[in-house]
Amino acid sequence: MKNRLMAGAAGLALCAGSAAAQDLVFPVGEGDFNWASYESFAAENDFDGAEITISGPWIGDDLDLVTSVIDYFEAATGATVAYSGSDSFESEIRRASQTGGLPNLAVIPQPGLLADLAAAGHVAPLGEETASWIRDNYAAGQSWVDLATSANEQAGGEALNGFFYKVDVKSLVWYSPPIFDELGYEIPTTMEELVGLSEQALADGFTPWCIGIGSEGATGWPATDWVEDIMLRTQPLETYDAWVANDIPFSSEPVVNAIELFGSFARNEEWTGMSPAEIVANDFRNAPDGLFQFPPDCLMHKQASFIPTFFPEDAEFDFFYFPPFEAEDLGSPVLGAGTAWAITDDSDATRGFIEFLKTPIAHELWMAQSGFLTPHSGVNTDLYANDTLKGMGEILLSATSFRFDASDLMPSEIGAGAFWTGMVEYMRSGDAQAEAESIQAAWDAIK
């Protein structure tokens, strides 16, 4: 197998004998992909006959997309890979860790779940060589190492437990370019400029912000994203991490300040055109509709990368990075989420799969299709499937730090409970200190 693959890219496309090789979504050697990274990987990795099982959260279109990438690993190495996805992945992987039914590799969407599995001895440490590679090849590389590092029973201490691949970005503000062009507005690059733009929009007779935090049984979660992004723009990373771990109380001054800054946008009726109660009732999926009215009901909407799914079909839209405070000098932090691949049954083939994920081609193949963002600095960003994804990818590559959504890292009773409801109560009461103390009391109750 190895000697055959060394014949070159054209030979790979023609000679690889597996069904996967014949069904590759992009013919090897064609297009502006980094095929050299594929050829090098194929020449160095022969796993002919090896079988690898992978479990993860991707189903539907994402299952087809990840499978299309896995096909190239199979064609390059001769291994056979079976991926299974589930919308109940977290509970299933926890159960498998107790019954002995773990896959060879797991795609884990929550750092907390990764840490739990590693602490219990179910994850093989990836080693300092991989940690060093991430620092050197991922934008904000240390952040990705930190997110996947925790106690590992197999290592006898802290270790890198996962490799992040496929990222989502939350630090985005959406707008309608035709409206901005007509009004002569420039994209703000600092928070001070964003506040100034909001004031200018109001003076020009427009409502600056579309905001809604309604989400049925999950009402309040969009407000937590605001608070998290503001924490990253007003506090050092160490403070953000301490807040997530409750090493500083939820009721501490940095957190209360972030909640109040959120309120300076969301509880400002002139800026939203709504009362706080209406903001709570306004479903987050409908909140951006005002961007696309004529004349517009509002001009800007802060939300994650998925929100265009809910835009009108003919909407003209773009986004910009939710900017940092120039006065704080905290760099360009990005808030988001992502999936980490972990070895749950160690072998040469599973180690080889992690090496495959380091290649630019493993990222470009999904980038060129749909719904994929990467901090890999070695990829060809022109391969992104559309300008929206390319712009988000460039935000990732410009990041000086990355942090995971705080509510996803907190205990579920807090991150998907007291934090959500506390933000709803803050919108109604306006008392950030009291609501922060209530959230801290809920945290104290589960310790």
Side-chain angles (χ1 to χ4, degrees):
M1 182 73 173
K2 183 184 297 183
N3 290 335
R4 183 178 65 209
L5 291 176
M6 290 177 68
L12 283 172
L14 293 172
C15 299
S18 71
Q22 296 175 23
D23 296 333
L24 300 180
V25 65
F26 302 108
V28 174
E30 295 185 12
D32 294 327
F33 297 88
N34 194 324
W35 292 119
S37 69
Y38 180 57
E39 290 184 72
S40 296
F41 175 79
E44 295 170 3
N45 292 275
D46 184 355
F47 303 120
D48 205 6
E51 296 182 359
I52 300 174
T53 57
I54 303 174
S55 296
W58 294 322
I59 58 176
D61 290 344
D62 279 344
L63 185 152
D64 294 336
L65 288 162
V66 70
T67 299
S68 75
V69 176
I70 290 171
D71 286 346
Y72 288 82
F73 175 82
E74 291 182 311
T77 66
T80 300
V81 181
Y83 171 85
S84 61
S86 172
D87 56 5
S88 302
F89 169 75
E90 181 172 344
S91 60
E92 291 176 8
I93 198 73
R94 288 187 185 277
R95 184 164 57 251
S97 70
Q98 298 167 355
T99 61
L102 286 169
N104 303 132
L105 286 160
V107 185
I108 300 177
Q110 298 287 354
L113 174 58
L114 175 63
D116 289 347
L117 292 172
H122 300 302
V123 172
L126 297 183
E128 179 53 35
E129 183 178 343
T130 293
S132 180
W133 184 94
I134 294 170
R135 293 187 192 100
D136 292 342
N137 292 276
Y138 270 19
Q142 185 61 51
S143 293
W144 298 106
V145 172
D146 293 344
L147 278 169
T149 298
S150 62
N152 184 305
E153 185 181 82
Q154 292 188 30
E158 288 210 336
L160 177 69
N161 300 313
F163 186 95
F164 273 95
Y165 171 91
K166 192 176 187 294
V167 177
D168 297 311
V169 174
K170 294 196 170 189
S171 303
L172 304 173
V173 178
W174 300 86
Y175 70 100
S176 172
I179 299 299
F180 266 50
D181 290 345
E182 183 176 339
L183 295 172
Y185 291 167
E186 295 184 359
I187 301 303
T189 59
T190 68
M191 188 63 70
E192 290 87 348
E193 290 179 358
L194 181 61
V195 171
L197 178 59
S198 302
E199 293 171 344
Q200 181 63 54
L202 187 63
D204 291 341
F206 294 94
T207 299
W209 288 93
C210 322
I211 301 179
I213 66 169
S215 186
E216 300 172 347
T219 291
W221 73 259
T224 69
D225 284 0
W226 274 85
V227 173
E228 292 156 2
D229 251 326
I230 291 170
M231 280 288 290
L232 289 173
R233 284 150 182 76
T234 56
Q235 302 298 324
L237 295 174
E238 295 78 10
T239 302
Y240 183 91
D241 295 341
W243 169 52
V244 168
N246 205 220
D247 291 336
I248 63 169
F250 219 104
S251 52
S252 62
E253 189 277 333
V255 185
V256 172
N257 174 66
I259 295 171
E260 290 176 338
L261 281 173
F262 160 65
S264 71
F265 288 83
R267 300 193 80 258
N268 186 335
E269 294 189 35
E270 289 188 325
W271 279 22
T272 67
M274 293 183 176
S275 69
E278 289 172 323
I279 295 290
V280 171
N282 191 22
D283 192 285
F284 80 94
R285 287 158 285 211
N286 301 326
D289 287 352
L291 296 175
F292 310 112
Q293 305 299 319
F294 189 81
D297 290 338
C298 46
L299 300 185
M300 294 176 284
H301 178 67
K302 182 188 181 301
Q303 189 50 273
S305 54
F306 68 82
I307 197 61
T309 302
F310 304 105
F311 288 172
E313 189 171 325
D314 59 349
E316 292 186 67
F317 62 87
D318 203 346
F319 61 89
F320 58 85
Y321 169 62
F322 188 58
F325 283 97
E326 184 176 26
E328 298 293 345
D329 193 25
L330 292 171
S332 300
V334 170
L335 178 73
T339 48
W341 293 64
I343 296 174
T344 42
D345 185 8
D346 205 357
S347 69
D348 289 343
T350 55
R351 295 277 170 181
F353 199 95
I354 297 298
E355 292 302 309
F356 176 65
L357 295 180
K358 295 178 183 178
T359 65
I361 194 68
H363 299 246
E364 292 171 347
L365 292 167
W366 199 333
M367 285 167 54
Q369 297 184 75
S370 175
F372 185 92
L373 298 173
T374 178
H376 195 313
S377 59
V379 301
N380 177 4
T381 58
D382 289 337
L383 289 170
Y384 272 114
N386 55 55
D387 289 342
T388 297
L389 289 170
K390 182 178 179 181
M392 293 178 192
E394 289 171 349
I395 286 174
L396 269 177
L397 291 178
S398 299
T400 57
S401 61
F402 185 97
R403 281 300 183 267
F404 219 84
D405 181 295
S407 59
D408 286 344
L409 298 177
M410 295 172 181
S412 59
E413 297 93 334
I414 307 303
F419 195 3
W420 291 355
T421 58
M423 290 301 95
V424 170
E425 291 307 312
Y426 167 67
M427 288 298 294
R428 293 169 175 160
S429 71
D431 191 336
Q433 184 68 51
E435 301 310 330
E437 290 175 358
S438 176
I439 297 169
Q440 182 58 46
W443 208 322
D444 291 339
I446 64 172
K447 288 183 177 178

